[in-house]
């Protein structure tokens, strides 16, 4: 605040207080020459008159008390220009104090969960409720409030994990984030190559495909795609490369969608939530997510269960 | 023109110190009625927070949880409509009663009247009758005055503190509050409101008294708008009373040229607002009927008929018949009956279960590998009953859309439960938006509710 505005406000406030006191006292007494009147002179409804009664003295007292109050307020709290007041109160400090107070309460709640493994917490109703809240407020925007995902955002309830479904892995995925990169292969494969590989991928997942194109695609797959998706197309959770032999699709299972994926690549990014949520909330979100997987039937569940795709120990069997 | 009220003018000031009113103690029909009202109303106030109902406080306004408990009823934020309705009913009741019977509220039921009455009892117990109180106030300070005044203040402050404590006890469980008070662990806000409400009681009932009615109360002002010539008022029979004048008990007033008023001033001395009812209807009159009791007692003593000061209407005084049924009372009465009827019906028919279906906003739909279209939702289930429910969710009358992920939801008593929900259309033969109806029902208790939602299918699945 510049010196000008500081003094502007100080003088403005002071002039107001002084002005009000002056007005109060100046109008408190009858002026010389005033005639003492019994009524105000107003007449309604023929004979209804308004008496000119003096106000009670304590009314004047209330006015003066409020003036004294304003003086105390200005001494204790900011109000007189840049003067901070003797209490040093600011809204920032109040927010910080409220936040600290709240965090203390949360700490008491969270502390209970810290030394328990996630497998135990999946049966803890309070942990599930809190985890659900964290999920709804932060994760549901992409993964859906039912955690079943959307195009580009994986379904979290189907026991198919791009990066592995062990509790620690899921916690790491949430905390540190993931970046699933499928490079654009269009320039390398050419349009014909993309068509052939796409048909082979369709065949891998047991869908209808052009056998001739698929056969040609198989050869291209073996040289180009195998590095990440593996020789049998079963993917690699270390890289987040999806299993192509099941019928679970992150970007769609039609020929057109698969071709677009191969040609232009994909860049799936899961943000790191550790700094946003803190370790406690990250764990609780993982608890809730893991609790969803085994209990839910999905349309693709039979396929997922039938496919021996996921590496041992990473998929939770219902 | 009635004379100016008695004021103590401070030289030429436009403000006047109010002369303290010493209402004389009074016995009689209406004073007994008021005593009964005081015990009934204050009994409700001081006892209700201590009553129990179903293992909880019977009357509790739980602001943090946003739930109001009144015996068997629980009011949720969704029911605040009915609390507003209740306030409207209270307002219209005041109109109705005032149009019919004048300021009954002021005279017998207003908290200001009721608590002032109790404070006056305490004052009387410590300082004595009216004359003794006046004498005590005029006397110089001595041990007796100190003891009497001190005792009064102690009792006043104690009673006011108990009032503040009880008031807060309607908002925070009173047994907890009592424990916290004993252990000095009251929270800042609890302390503030106990002190604030206690102080307000002390100030209003101990000192401000009739000035609250005269200078602060809005009802006192607008009640005069409900008055007409058939409204019950406290009134002095001028024709019978004048000319007023003192006389011997066995004297014949007619021979002396006097009316029935013996000008004993009893009606003025008992008046809690310090007016003379013989000056006619005044805005300060709270219709407490103390002057009726006082005058009746004097009339009895004189051997005259009662009712020189009495409850009557302007028309009755003028010799016209009493009309109870008039446009004003019929309108207020009809409105009141309608409001009360709808209130009782509405409160009895409040929904015990509320279902809200919130669509996910990020994705309109999702297509699964088998061609099915899914929409995701959050379902909020509000169980307003005090019993646990287990509801089954179903889509009503639309076989095209099914629930994919859950059927039964357990609802703890009196809580809001939020569950995710996936709706699915397997190989849909429609596109665009369809309205569906979601039902939640507990077959055991019969508690049920429905809610509409929207389901989206893309043009080209």
């Amino acid at each position: 605040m510049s010196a000008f505005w500081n003094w502007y406000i100080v003088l403005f406030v002071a002039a107001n207080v002084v002005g009000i006191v002056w007005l109060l006292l100046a109008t408190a007494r009858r002026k010389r020459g005033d005639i003492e009147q019994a009524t105000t002179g107003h007449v309604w409804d023929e004979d209804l008159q308004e008496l000119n009664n003096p106000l009670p003295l304590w009314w004047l007292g209330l006015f003066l008390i409020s003036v004294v109050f304003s003086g105390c307020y200005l001494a204790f709290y900011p109000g007189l220009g840049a003067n901070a007041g003797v209490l040093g109160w600011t809204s920032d400090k109040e927010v910080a104090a409220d936040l600290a107070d709240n965090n203390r309460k949360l700490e008491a709640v969270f502390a209970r969960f810290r030394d328990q493994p996630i497998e135990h917490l999946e049966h803890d109703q309070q942990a599930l409720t809190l985890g659900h809240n964290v999920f709804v407020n932060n994760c549901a925007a992409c993964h859906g409030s039912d955690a079943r995902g959307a195009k580009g955002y994986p379904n979290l309830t189907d026991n198919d994990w791009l990066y592995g479904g062990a509790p620690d892995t899921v916690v790491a995925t949430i905390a540190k984030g993931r970046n699933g990169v499928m490079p654009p292969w269009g320039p390398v494969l050419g349009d014909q190559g993309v068509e052939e590989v796409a048909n082979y991928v369709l065949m891998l997942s047991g869908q209808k495909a052009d056998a001739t194109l698929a056969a040609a695609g198989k050869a291209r797959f073996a040289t180009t795609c195998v590095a990440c998706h593996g020789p049998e197309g079963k993917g690699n959770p270390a890289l987040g490369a999806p299993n192509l032999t099941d019928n679970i699709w992150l970007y769609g299972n039609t020929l057109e969608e698969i071709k677009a994926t191969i040609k232009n690549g994909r860049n799936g990014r899961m943000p790191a939530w550790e700094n946003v949520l803190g370790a406690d909330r990250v764990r609780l979100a993982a608890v809730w997510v893991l609790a969803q997987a085994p209990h839910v039937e999905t349309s693709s569940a039979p396929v997922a269960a039938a496919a021996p795709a996921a590496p041992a120990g990473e998929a939770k069997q219902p | 023109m009635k004379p100016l009220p008695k004021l103590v003018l401070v030289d030429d000031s436009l403000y006047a110190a109010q002369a303290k009113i010493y209402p004389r103690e009074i016995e009689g029909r209406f004073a007994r009625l008021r005593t009964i009202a005081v015990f009934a109303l204050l009994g409700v106030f001081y006892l209700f927070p201590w009553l129990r109902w179903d293992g909880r406080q019977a009357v509790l306004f739980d602001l943090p949880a946003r739930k109001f408990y009144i015996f068997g009823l629980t009011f949720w934020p969704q029911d605040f409509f009915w609390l507003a309705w209740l306030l409207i009913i209270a307002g219209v009741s005041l109109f109705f009663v005032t149009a019919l019977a004048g300021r009954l509220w002021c005279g017998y039921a207003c908290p200001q009247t009721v608590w002032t009455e109790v404070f006056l009892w305490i004052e009387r117990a410590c300082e004595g009758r009216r004359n003794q109180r006046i004498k005590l106030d005029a006397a110089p300070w001595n041990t007796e005055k100190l003891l009497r005044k001190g005792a009064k203040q102690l009792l006043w402050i104690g009673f006011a503190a108990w009032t503040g404590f009880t008031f807060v006890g309607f908002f925070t469980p009173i047994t907890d509050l009592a424990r916290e008070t004993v252990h000095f662990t009251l929270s800042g806000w609890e302390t503030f409101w106990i002190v604030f409400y206690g102080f307000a009681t002390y100030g209003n009932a101990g000192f401000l008294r009739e000035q609250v009615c005269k200078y602060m109360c809005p009802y006192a002002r607008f009640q005069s708008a409900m008055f007409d010539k058939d409204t019950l008022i406290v009134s002095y029979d001028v024709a019978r009373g004048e000319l007023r004048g003192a006389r011997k008990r066995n004297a014949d007033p007619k021979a002396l040229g006097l009316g029935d008023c013996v000008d004993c001033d009893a009606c003025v001395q008992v008046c809690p607002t310090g007016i003379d009812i013989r000056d006619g209807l005044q805005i300060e009159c709270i219709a407490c009927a103390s002057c009726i009791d006082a005058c009746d007692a004097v009339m009895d003593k004189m051997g005259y008929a009662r009712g020189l000061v009495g409850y009557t209407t302007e028309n009755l005084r003028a010799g016209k018949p009493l009309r109870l049924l008039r446009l004003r009372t019929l309108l207020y009465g009809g409105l009141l009956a309608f409001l009360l009827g709808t209130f009782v019906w509405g409160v009895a028919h409040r929904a015990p279960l509320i279902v809200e279906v919130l669509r996910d906003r990020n994705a309109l739909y999702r297509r699964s590998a088998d061609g099915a279209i899914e929409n995701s939702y959050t379902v909020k289930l509000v169980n307003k009953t005090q019993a646990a429910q287990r509801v089954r969710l179903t889509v009503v009358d639309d076989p095209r859309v099914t629930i994919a992920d859950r059927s039964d939801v357990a609802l703890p008593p009196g809580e809001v439960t939020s569950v995710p929900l996936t709706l699915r259309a397997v190989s849909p033969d429609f596109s665009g938006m369809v309205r569906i109806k979601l039902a939640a029902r507990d077959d055991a208790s019969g508690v049920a509710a429905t809610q509409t939602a929207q389901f989206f299918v893309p043009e080209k699945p």
Side-chain angles (χ1 to χ4, degrees), chain A residues 28-29 58 141 145-146 149 257, chain B residues 12 14 211 360 362 366 422:
Chain A
R29 298 195 165 273
W58 52 260
S145 48
D146 54 1
E257 284 165 323
Chain B
D12 56 348
L14 284 171
Q211 302 193 48
D360 269 16
N362 45 334
R366 119 173 37 96
T422 312

Side-chain angles (χ1 to χ4, degrees), chain B residues 83-268:
Chain B
L83 289 183
W85 205 253
L86 195 62
L87 287 179
I88 295 171
I89 289 175
V92 175
S93 306
L94 186 72
F95 294 0
F96 178 67
V97 171
T98 304
L100 207 61
R103 292 172 69 172
L104 275 191
W105 164 260
C106 302
Y108 299 93
C110 176
Q112 180 62 25
T113 301
V114 166
W115 263 288
T116 300
E117 191 78 12
V118 176
F119 272 59
L120 270 172
W121 292 344
I122 295 174
E123 192 164 82
R124 249 167 237 156
C126 296
E127 298 181 4
R129 303 168 75 83
R130 179 170 190 264
N131 292 340
Q132 293 169 302
R133 296 207 300 277
I134 295 174
K135 212 180 283 171
L136 187 72
D137 274 358
W141 282 97
N142 56 27
T143 319
E144 192 201 342
K145 185 170 179 177
L146 200 67
L147 283 175
R148 288 189 178 279
K149 292 267 175 191
K152 179 183 83 172
Q153 292 295 336
L154 268 182
L155 286 171
W156 274 8
I157 291 169
F159 190 69
W162 184 31
T163 306
F165 170 82
T166 306
F167 178 76
V168 176
F170 278 96
F171 296 91
T172 193
I174 200 161
T175 43
D176 295 354
L177 200 64
R179 196 170 39 245
E180 286 170 12
T181 309
V182 173
H183 293 115
F184 295 102
T185 52
L186 285 172
S187 77
W189 281 115
E190 285 165 348
T191 314
F192 172 81
W193 284 113
I194 291 175
V195 171
F196 180 88
Y197 202 81
F199 178 74
T201 307
Y202 173 79
N204 285 335
F207 297 97
L208 287 176
R209 292 187 181 169
E210 81 287 349
Q211 302 193 48
V212 172
C213 314
K214 280 161 72 176
Y215 298 109
M216 301 178 189
C217 180
Y219 300 108
R221 286 289 181 269
F222 75 60
Q223 277 184 116
S224 53
M226 278 84 218
F227 273 48
D228 56 26
K229 286 190 190 311
D230 287 302
T231 299
L232 196 67
I233 51 168
V234 176
S235 147
Y236 165 69
D237 192 341
V238 181
R240 187 185 144 196
E242 300 299 320
L243 295 167
R244 64 186 82 157
R247 81 282 317 259
K248 288 206 165 63
R249 184 174 296 185
N250 46 12
D252 176 17
K254 285 203 183 73
L256 294 167
L258 292 173
D260 278 357
C261 176
V262 300
D263 206 10
C264 63
D265 242 17
C267 57
V268 177

Side-chain angles (χ1 to χ4, degrees), chain A residues 76-94:
Chain A
F76 284 115
Y77 288 97
L80 266 185
N83 175 32
V86 292
L87 291 183
W89 181 93
T90 69
S91 52
D92 278 0
K93 281 186 204 166
E94 182 150 317

